[in-house]
Amino acid sequence: MPRAGQVKSPVEERLSDRIALGVLTRVFPAELVDEVVAETGRGEKRSRLLPARVTVYFVLAMCLFSGQAYEEVARLLVEGLARSRQWRGSWEVPSTGAISRARARLGPEPLQALFARVCRPVATPETIGAWYRGRRLVAVDGTTLDVADTEDNDTFFGRPGSGRGEGKGSFPQVRLVVLAECGTHAVFAAATGPCTTAETVLADSLLPHLEPGMLLLADRNFLSFDRWQTAAATGADLLWRVKSNAVLPVCEQYADGSYRSEIFVATDRRHRHPQPVRVVEYTVAGHEQAGPIRLVTTILEPGQAPAAELAALYHERWEVEGVLDEIKVHQRGPDVVLRSRYPDGVEQEVYGFLLVHHAVRQVMHQAAARAGTDPDRLSFTRSLRVVRRQVPAQAAFSP
């Protein structure tokens, strides 16, 4: 051991003091990783080849280099250190079994805690395309991801119907629901569950993440009296589509074509506790036969949000579809099955993907701000490639 005041040589340093993920390490610094590991009680009690911090970074690398074998991901973590002569110690690349055991020891909790600490809306008042009349645009939506076909995953997550009356789908699936910032695609709240759990149920757990000054966009499947009331109680404004068969009486007609109405608890036939809403109806050019699209909003004064503006604004909801596409197709890879064979590993892996996506989007927002442009004008795929290249090229990290 070196004497007091001496600097350890690279050989004497632990790999966990040097390992890093290029740009991602700036978003998830080692000190923060150590904090969430300690908070969740996942720190190691003895020296290991894969201590908890390294395992967290390995999961992030695994989700950054989706589709690569375990051993290849492990090599990428130290390749840049060797090139830059920041690490000259010997390190045996762990076997697939050793990495699987390290992931099992870590569990999903540190990744979930890291997500809660880091993943926030990132748009500033100057961010182009992120606001409507001073309100931060956010949206909610869900998707499913195929997971490894194991008995444990099947029991916990379930399988979707095949849609052809021929039994269950090929793979078990995890359902993922997210709240995302429309202008930057930054996911700031997420919930996972079995595919048999409705996305509206998972969405209920995300509503406390809403804040005054937000405007939440949602598709027609999300509207219910209780969900609307809960979301509105956060102080956020709402703009949700409603189903064509929803009963919305006209209480007062406005000059911009919208009208004041009320929604009720479905079982309350006397309508004793109505919730006031404003209704905006419009048709899409070329799809008039499909009938009008109806939106309900908490913004009751037409002067604060004219009907024509809200009709145009609702299309921003599709930004959250883009978020899910970035994660499922471009980051994970099309038709790629999550590799984890146990439910805890699946949740760990999902949060790894969310963390990497948020880091890439945060870097993109910073680049767009410097260029004075809309983050939507930057390519997620190209940005992802840049981040991937930086891991072996600039992996050195000094604590």
Side-chain angles (χ1 to χ4, degrees), residues 227-281:
R227 189 169 298 113
W228 180 271
Q229 194 171 48
T230 301
T234 66
D237 282 311
L238 313 177
L239 180 63
W240 297 5
R241 188 176 176 180
V242 297
K243 294 181 178 180
S244 58
N245 61 353
V247 177
L248 294 169
V250 179
C251 299
E252 181 181 359
Q253 187 75 48
Y254 298 121
D256 69 347
S258 64
Y259 60 91
R260 181 173 61 83
S261 186
E262 296 172 333
I263 59 175
F264 311 89
V265 177
T267 57
D268 182 10
R269 295 185 178 181
R270 296 184 180 181
H271 298 172
R272 289 167 293 188
H273 303 289
Q275 186 83 13
V277 298
R278 181 164 147 248
V279 182
V280 175
E281 294 187 357

Side-chain angles (χ1 to χ4, degrees), residues 256 280 305-313:
D256 69 347
V280 175
E309 291 184 7
L310 292 181
L313 183 68

Side-chain angles (χ1 to χ4, degrees), residues 180-201:
E181 193 173 41
C182 296
T184 67
H185 287 202
V187 176
F188 62 94
T192 61
C195 70
T196 52
T197 301
E199 65 182 20
T200 51
V201 173

Side-chain angles (χ1 to χ4, degrees), residues 51-222:
R53 183 201 294 178
V54 174
T55 307
V56 169
Y57 282 141
F58 175 85
V59 173
L60 296 178
M62 180 183 76
C63 296
L64 178 60
F65 297 99
S66 178
Q68 296 288 345
Y70 270 178
E71 293 90 343
E72 180 61 23
V73 174
R75 289 189 185 96
L76 286 167
L77 283 176
V78 294
E79 186 179 61
L81 298 176
R83 286 181 182 176
S84 60
R85 298 184 180 180
Q86 294 291 328
W87 175 258
R88 294 197 297 270
S90 61
W91 189 65
E92 179 185 354
V93 175
S95 65
T96 297
I99 293 172
S100 297
R101 290 190 293 273
R103 288 189 58 203
R105 289 194 301 271
L106 185 70
E109 293 83 3
L111 279 297
Q112 292 168 332
L114 192 59
F115 179 89
R117 293 280 291 273
V118 173
C119 297
R120 299 281 191 273
V122 301
T124 66
E126 293 75 29
T127 302
I128 300 172
W131 306 87
Y132 171 71
R133 293 190 176 222
R135 297 173 176 88
R136 187 188 301 270
L137 297 177
V138 301
V140 61
D141 206 359
T143 189
T144 55
L145 299 165
D146 289 343
V147 302
D149 189 2
T150 66
E151 183 177 348
D152 292 281
N153 285 343
D154 190 18
T155 300
F156 186 86
F157 293 112
R159 298 171 188 257
S162 66
R164 298 189 299 270
E166 300 174 359
K168 299 290 186 177
S170 299
F171 292 94
Q173 291 185 340
V174 57
R175 189 174 300 281
L176 169 67
V177 178
V178 302
L179 274 176
E181 193 173 41
C182 296
T184 67
H185 287 202
V187 176
F188 62 94
T192 61
C195 70
T196 52
T197 301
E199 65 182 20
T200 51
V201 173
L202 294 177
D204 288 339
S205 67
L206 304 182
L207 298 181
H209 293 274
L210 297 174
E211 299 175 355
M214 291 181 174
L215 175 55
L216 175 65
L217 311 177
D219 200 2
R220 55 191 164 190
N221 293 325
F222 288 91

Side-chain angles (χ1 to χ4, degrees), residues 294-340:
R294 291 195 295 173
L295 310 176
V296 290
T297 180
T298 55
I299 307 175
L300 302 180
E301 295 296 327
Q304 293 184 11
E309 291 184 7
L310 292 181
L313 183 68
Y314 180 70
H315 293 280
E316 289 291 315
R317 191 202 71 79
W318 291 101
E319 295 296 331
V320 73
E321 300 273 0
V323 170
L324 297 173
D325 180 74
E326 288 167 0
I327 294 171
K328 290 183 64 172
V329 178
H330 301 287
Q331 186 180 340
R332 180 200 62 170
D335 302 321
V336 173
V337 178
L338 298 189
R339 70 181 79 200
S340 303

